[in-house]
């Protein structure tokens, strides 16, 4: 029993945080939202170079092995910096395509960051189908590779460009490990949401320390401090669920982590919006990039009800 | 990251489980907050102590098993999963004992701890006063120098367990001219049956005398019952509030067991849709609390500290406990109103959680100021 990140994992998080801080992600996100994927793809390559996508790819296919705890470490940082693109979906694709012969064909490109992949959610949209070179569409009779992304629809989170894929085209295999892939996508989404919430909290704490009204920083008011204390508490209790899920990878544990991290991030987003006042309500202010993502992740890859059902059916 | 217990800890778990299976009373004991129930719970502590299960984390010489933090968490999981009785000695074991381990003399430990471990002496806490609640440093009860000790004068209130307990511990103002409210306080232990002590039990919401007022009229306390240096009581009392105590005040095992019972109740009622989300959230909350505790324990074992993070802990478990019991009462429908229902006592107890041990607002202030670095405001 030692439920803590090791020195290497902490250093990995610090290195990603430093890289992403220097990368000016808000500018990258805004370009991505306009359909200009070039800066996002450049950042994607650097993330792949740091080993982010190799954490869901076995060693024989250009990966580092299946390392869900390290993947969660990375995705907290991706969330913290609101990195755009089909991040969790690329991880899911690596798991869906993880068996030979497909693995040999697709995994090296995913691990190296040469390929971005998206996966159509059941009955829903695929994120960033226009940016992905690999569009996977799971269907009852097998896993399809969609040729055409279809028209892009705008998400409430401008960085997520939604397309609807149809299960037609290239049938890649009949029995892809969909449940396993779903657990990985959910874990990545949970960690990303946790990072999103942590960034919202940090930005809001900085704001209420700076912003003065009635002659004092508004952060000195209890009504303000207590909302932020609740956000902090919710996030810090979501964190061990996320890493506990990464350790076990049991679907019910992953669902609990996904639900709790997304709830905590969304509650934090509401608090962040409120405490920023009107400036937080503008698209121009960068806070909006995290605010809208918190809402989108909340519903992505498992609604609260679906996650709760899994928990009640299997127990934790 | 590793969430598996060592084989030795699993052996310890098996031993605890077997003992509990053989000893836990089949019929629940009467309420701890009645004279009859208090006596029954005291006898249960003696039974636990006879086989060294009452204070597993203490050193062997005081009746424990030298169990580390992880093993204590394991024991608590087994204890509550077995449906074992509430702990009448909790105030002494959870609050006074850690203070004695940190600041007591060897003589005090040898004298106070063994009878605490067996339940022979049950301790009540004496912190709050009529005009000193959240603002504890505003307390005015005095300790006045006397020959060979001190004389206590004043009034304490909301003293949990004091209606039936034997002794109490708390803070008293020993220097009239101290420069700040939290200075000049002394940490003392005293006998609730000493001359000059009047105990007036107070009925909590369900009428049971779960706490009491203490009137102290020149109560003599010998020097040997002062903990640490006179005048240093505030520092002594506060130094152990954040650390392990933040973790050990309410163990995850308690909530895991309650959440499991709630899930069973929900199923027994036909898995009603209206409670689905709340039952799931209770199950998840208990698991989150358990994992948070394992993370905190790992940090402490690595030489780290818990500190102000324990304030998040307190807010989290007290709200979880209340939500869990409210959900159970809702599931029970008309039966939930009964005062002697299976969840009633737990519900009434849970109602107090956000108030005692530092109100949740005090805890949020600590989180805001000490974890988030927000400027201190007016209280």
């Amino acid at each position: 029993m030692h439920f803590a990140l090791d020195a290497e994992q902490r250093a990995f998080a610090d290195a990603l945080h430093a890289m992403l801080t220097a990368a000016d992600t808000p500018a990258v996100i805004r370009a991505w939202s306009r359909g200009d994927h070039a800066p996002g793809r450049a950042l994607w390559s650097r993330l792949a170079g740091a080993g982010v996508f190799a954490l869901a790819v076995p060693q024989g296919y250009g990966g580092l092995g299946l390392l869900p705890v390290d993947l969660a470490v990375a995705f907290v940082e991706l969330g913290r910096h609101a990195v755009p693109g089909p991040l969790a979906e690329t991880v899911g694709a690596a798991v869906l395509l993880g068996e030979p012969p497909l693995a040999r064909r697709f995994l090296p490109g995913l691990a190296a960051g040469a390929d971005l992949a998206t996966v159509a959610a059941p009955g829903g949209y695929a994120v960033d189908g226009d940016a992905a070179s690999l569009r996977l569409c799971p269907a009852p009779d097998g896993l399809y590779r969609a040729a055409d992304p279809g028209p892009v629809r705008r998400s409430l989170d401008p960085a997520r460009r939604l397309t609807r894929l149809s299960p037609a085209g290239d049938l890649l295999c009949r029995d892809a490990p969909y449940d396993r892939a779903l657990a990985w996508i959910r874990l990545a989404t949970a960690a990303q949401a946790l990072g999103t919430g942590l960034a919202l909290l940090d930005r809001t704490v900085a704001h209420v320390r700076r912003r003065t009204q009635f002659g004092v920083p508004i952060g000195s008011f209890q009504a303000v401090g207590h909302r932020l204390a609740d956000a902090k508490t919710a996030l810090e209790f979501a964190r061990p669920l996320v890493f506990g899920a990464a350790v076990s990878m049991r679907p019910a544990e992953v669902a609990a982590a996904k639900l709790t991290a997304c709830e905590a991030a969304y509650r934090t987003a509401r608090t962040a919006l409120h405490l920023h006042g009107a400036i937080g309500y503008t698209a121009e202010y960068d806070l909006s990039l995290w605010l809208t993502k918190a809402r989108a992740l909340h519903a992505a890859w498992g609604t609260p009800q679906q996650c709760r059902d899994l928990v009640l059916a299997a127990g934790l | 990251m590793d969430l598996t217990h060592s084989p030795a800890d699993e052996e310890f778990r098996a031993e605890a489980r077997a003992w509990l299976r053989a000893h836990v009373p089949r019929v629940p004991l009467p309420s701890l907050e009645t004279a009859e129930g208090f006596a029954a719970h005291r006898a249960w502590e003696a039974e636990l102590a006879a086989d060294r299960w009452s204070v597993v984390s203490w050193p062997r010489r005081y009746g424990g098993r030298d169990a580390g933090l992880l093993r204590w968490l394991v024991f608590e999981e087994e204890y509550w999963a077995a449906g074992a009785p509430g702990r009448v000695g909790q105030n002494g074991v959870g609050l006074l004992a850690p203070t004695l381990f940190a600041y007591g003399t060897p003589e005090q430990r040898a004298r106070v701890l063994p009878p605490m471990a067996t339940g022979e002496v049950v301790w009540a806490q004496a912190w709050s006063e009529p005009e000193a609640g959240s603002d504890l440093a505003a307390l005015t009860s005095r300790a006045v120098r006397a020959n060979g000790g001190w004389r206590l004068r004043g009034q304490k209130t909301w003293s949990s367990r004091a209606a039936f307990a034997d002794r109490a511990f708390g803070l008293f103002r020993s220097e009239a001219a101290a420069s700040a409210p939290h200075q000049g306080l002394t940490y003392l232990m005293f006998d609730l049956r000493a001359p000059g002590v009047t105990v007036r039990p107070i009925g909590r919401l369900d009428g049971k005398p779960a706490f009491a007022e203490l009137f102290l009229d020149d109560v003599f306390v010998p020097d040997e019952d002062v903990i640490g240096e006179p005048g240093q009581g505030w520092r002594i009392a506060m130094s152990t509030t954040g650390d392990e105590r933040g973790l050990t005040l309410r163990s995850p095992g308690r909530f895991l067991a309650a959440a499991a019972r709630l899930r069973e109740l929900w199923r027994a009622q036909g898995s009603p849709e209206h409670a689905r989300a709340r039952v799931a959230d209770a199950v998840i909350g208990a698991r989150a609390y358990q994992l948070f505790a394992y993370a905190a324990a790992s940090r402490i074992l690595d030489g780290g500290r818990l500190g102000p993070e324990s304030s998040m802990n307190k807010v989290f478990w007290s709200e979880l406990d209340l939500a869990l019991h409210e959900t159970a009462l809702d599931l029970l429908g008309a039966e939930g109103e009964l005062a002697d229902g299976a969840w009633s006592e737990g519900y009434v107890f849970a109602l107090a959680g956000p108030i005692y041990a530092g109100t949740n607002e005090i805890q949020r202030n600590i989180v805001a100021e000490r974890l988030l670095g927000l400027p201190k405001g007016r209280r």
Side-chain angles (χ1 to χ4, degrees), chain A residues 27-227:
Chain A
V28 177
I29 299 163
R30 291 185 188 281
W32 189 274
S33 307
R34 293 189 302 268
D36 172 8
H37 296 133
R41 293 203 66 126
L43 182 58
W44 192 281
S45 294
R46 295 178 62 200
L47 290 170
V52 169
F53 303 106
L55 298 169
V57 173
Q59 284 180 335
Y61 303 108
L64 292 164
L66 300 175
L67 299 170
V69 173
D70 301 79
L71 184 93
V73 168
F75 270 71
V76 170
E77 299 308 319
L78 302 182
R80 199 193 287 267
H81 292 275
V83 173
L87 295 160
E89 292 74 14
T90 294
V91 166
V95 178
L96 279 172
L97 303 168
E99 305 291 328
L102 295 174
R104 205 169 307 116
R105 185 172 150 205
F106 292 109
L107 295 197
L110 293 177
D115 290 311
L116 281 65
T118 191
V119 182
Y125 293 94
V127 167
D128 299 314
D130 60 333
S133 50
L134 189 54
R135 290 173 286 271
L136 300 180
C137 191
D141 62 329
L143 180 65
Y144 287 87
R145 179 180 187 179
D148 178 16
V152 172
R153 302 198 56 181
R154 293 176 56 216
S155 157
L156 280 175
D157 171 7
R160 286 163 60 92
R161 298 163 60 80
L162 305 177
T163 65
R164 207 181 260 289
L165 305 181
S166 49
D170 190 5
L171 178 62
L172 293 175
C173 70
R174 293 237 170 254
D175 50 354
Y178 183 71
D179 288 345
R180 198 147 54 85
L182 186 57
W184 280 76
I185 298 180
R186 278 197 179 138
L187 176 71
T189 306
Q192 198 182 353
L194 175 60
T196 305
L198 291 169
L200 284 160
L201 179 64
D202 283 350
R203 286 175 163 262
T204 309
V205 166
H207 175 76
V208 302
R209 284 163 59 105
R210 210 168 42 224
R211 169 75 173 164
T212 61
Q213 287 287 275
F214 307 103
V216 292
I218 61 171
S220 65
F221 301 134
Q222 278 190 328
V224 170
H226 286 192
R227 283 190 76 153

Side-chain angles (χ1 to χ4, degrees), chain A residues 1-5 9 69 201 205 208-209 217 219-222 224-226 228-230 232-233 236-237 240-241 243-245 247 253 256 259-260 305 308-309 311-316, chain B residues 1-6 70 263 266-267 273 276-277 279-281 283-284 287-289 291-292 294-295 298 302 312-313 315-316 361 364-365 367-368 371-379:
Chain A
M1 169 69 67
H2 189 249
F3 192 45
L5 296 175
Q9 289 163 332
V69 173
L201 179 64
V205 166
V208 302
R209 284 163 59 105
S220 65
F221 301 134
Q222 278 190 328
V224 170
H226 286 192
L228 289 169
D230 284 342
K232 170 79 174 164
T233 303
E236 291 305 332
F237 276 88
L241 282 174
F243 286 101
V247 169
E253 299 250 10
L259 166 70
T260 308
Q305 182 170 347
R308 289 187 175 110
D309 286 348
V311 168
L312 286 174
L316 291 178
Chain B
M1 281 203 157
D2 179 9
L3 274 169
T4 49
H5 290 284
S6 69
L70 294 175
R263 184 161 159 250
W266 177 68
R267 287 202 170 143
E273 206 46 48
R276 175 181 291 272
V279 173
D281 289 349
V283 170
I284 295 168
R287 176 67 172 158
Y289 188 60
L291 290 172
F292 186 92
Y294 277 122
S298 298
D302 285 345
M312 297 194 292
N313 223 44
V315 171
F316 190 86
E361 283 63 40
R364 288 184 173 100
N365 285 344
V367 173
L371 288 178
L372 297 177
L374 296 185
K376 213 171 170 137
R378 284 205 55 190
R379 291 283 179 258

Side-chain angles (χ1 to χ4, degrees), chain B residues 50-289:
Chain B
D51 289 325
R52 293 188 178 272
W53 290 112
S54 69
V55 285
V56 293
S57 59
W58 288 13
R60 292 191 70 82
R61 82 174 93 144
Y62 303 123
R65 289 173 175 251
D66 282 311
L69 206 42
L70 294 175
R71 223 171 253 204
W72 177 79
L73 289 166
V74 166
F75 173 75
E76 287 284 308
E77 286 173 14
E78 293 302 320
Y79 186 88
W80 297 105
R87 304 299 301 272
V88 69
Q90 171 96 29
N91 277 310
V93 172
L95 296 167
L96 178 58
T99 307
L100 284 174
F101 283 124
Y103 295 95
T105 64
E107 183 279 324
Q108 286 174 328
R109 290 179 207 151
R111 176 163 51 89
V112 173
L113 295 175
M116 187 193 291
T118 59
E120 185 190 331
V121 174
V122 176
W123 291 81
Q125 44 87 0
W127 305 115
S128 297
E129 296 182 3
E131 301 303 328
S134 287
D135 184 9
L136 183 60
L139 64 89
T140 57
S141 288
R142 294 179 61 200
V144 180
R145 246 314 171 198
N147 193 15
W150 302 79
R151 288 199 176 273
L152 307 184
R153 290 174 197 159
Q155 185 185 348
K156 294 285 180 180
T157 192
W158 317 128
S159 181
S160 299
R161 304 290 108 73
F164 306 111
D166 307 293
R167 306 200 75 202
F169 55 93
L171 289 178
F172 292 84
R173 195 161 292 287
S174 54
E175 294 166 25
S179 57
H182 58 273
Q183 288 179 359
L185 301 175
T186 295
Y187 198 132
L188 291 150
M189 304 181 277
F190 59 98
D191 198 321
L192 285 169
R193 297 189 188 93
V197 178
T198 305
V199 178
R200 193 183 74 81
I202 305 172
R204 68 173 180 194
L205 272 182
D206 63 359
K208 289 172 189 153
F211 42 21
E213 277 180 299
L214 309 177
F215 298 91
L216 306 165
D217 185 11
D218 271 336
V219 177
F220 180 73
V221 176
D223 280 327
E224 63 184 28
D225 282 342
V226 173
I227 302 176
E229 288 298 309
Q232 297 297 309
W234 183 263
R235 195 173 55 82
I236 293 167
M238 291 304 131
S239 70
T240 47
T241 54
D243 238 11
E244 275 194 27
R245 194 191 292 177
L247 197 61
T248 56
L249 179 61
R250 289 286 175 267
S251 77
R254 179 189 283 251
F255 303 108
L256 288 167
R261 277 175 66 213
L262 181 67
R263 184 161 159 250
E264 277 166 33
L265 173 67
W266 177 68
R267 287 202 170 143
Q269 303 271 1
S271 307
E273 206 46 48
H274 68 83
R276 175 181 291 272
R278 292 162 71 198
V279 173
D281 289 349
V283 170
I284 295 168
R287 176 67 172 158
Y289 188 60

